[in-house]
Amino acid sequence: MQQVAVSVLGARAADFDSLFGPHLEAGYRVALAILRDPDEARDAVQEAAFKAWRRMGQLRGEGAARAWFLAIVANQCKSARRTRWWSVVKMPSIDASSSELESDRADIGRALAKLPAEDRLALFLHFYLDLPLDEVGAVLGLTPAGAKTRVYRAARKLRPDLEMT
């Protein structure tokens, strides 16, 4: 009886690794974009992976694994931000450097920091992770048209802070 349980657990672990293993790095990047703290992002991905493991039977088709897992990561990050510590602890400010490239990067970072978390996440998923709009919508709980609107509006909000004077 114990051997059967061990082999079932081993098969489930192999299934989990093949389905979600390739998406762990993307999950970390999503968590980092939302939380802006590497340690908190790792914790969120670990919690999300555990939740995905427990709910693996709810996954409908292997093609939806990436969007499903990233949605779990995003929800875990949102839950982490609702805790008391996030309202007390201040995030470090972004320091601008003398080099032009780092200055541009700092400008983009400051402009992104002004956006609401949902807008930052939509931009990050679409432009940084290069997810198609239907997957962005699945992660955000929106239709593809809703995801397209969210990305467009977020980019429009970002534009005034990035325009050259």
Side-chain angles (χ1 to χ4, degrees), residues 17-110:
D17 189 42
S18 67
L19 278 175
F20 299 108
H23 309 302
L24 290 174
E25 182 64 29
Y28 173 72
R29 290 180 185 158
V30 166
L32 193 58
I34 296 171
L35 300 173
R36 294 183 280 170
D37 180 298
D39 294 328
E40 291 293 327
R42 280 190 286 276
D43 289 345
V45 171
Q46 185 175 10
E47 287 294 320
F50 179 69
K51 288 178 180 179
W53 166 268
R54 288 182 39 217
R55 299 180 188 141
M56 204 164 65
Q58 297 175 358
L59 180 62
R60 308 255 189 265
E62 290 182 22
R66 176 172 59 175
W68 189 72
F69 179 67
L70 293 179
I72 294 172
V73 171
N75 288 333
Q76 181 63 37
C77 292
K78 290 174 188 174
S79 294
R81 291 187 72 202
R82 281 192 285 270
T83 64
R84 183 177 187 283
W85 287 110
W86 279 96
S87 63
V88 175
V89 177
K90 291 191 175 204
M91 298 301 291
S93 63
I94 299 173
D95 295 331
S97 167
S98 62
S99 92
E100 187 174 317
L101 178 61
E102 288 186 22
S103 176
D104 289 345
R105 197 174 284 162
D107 290 342
I108 292 170
R110 276 192 294 276

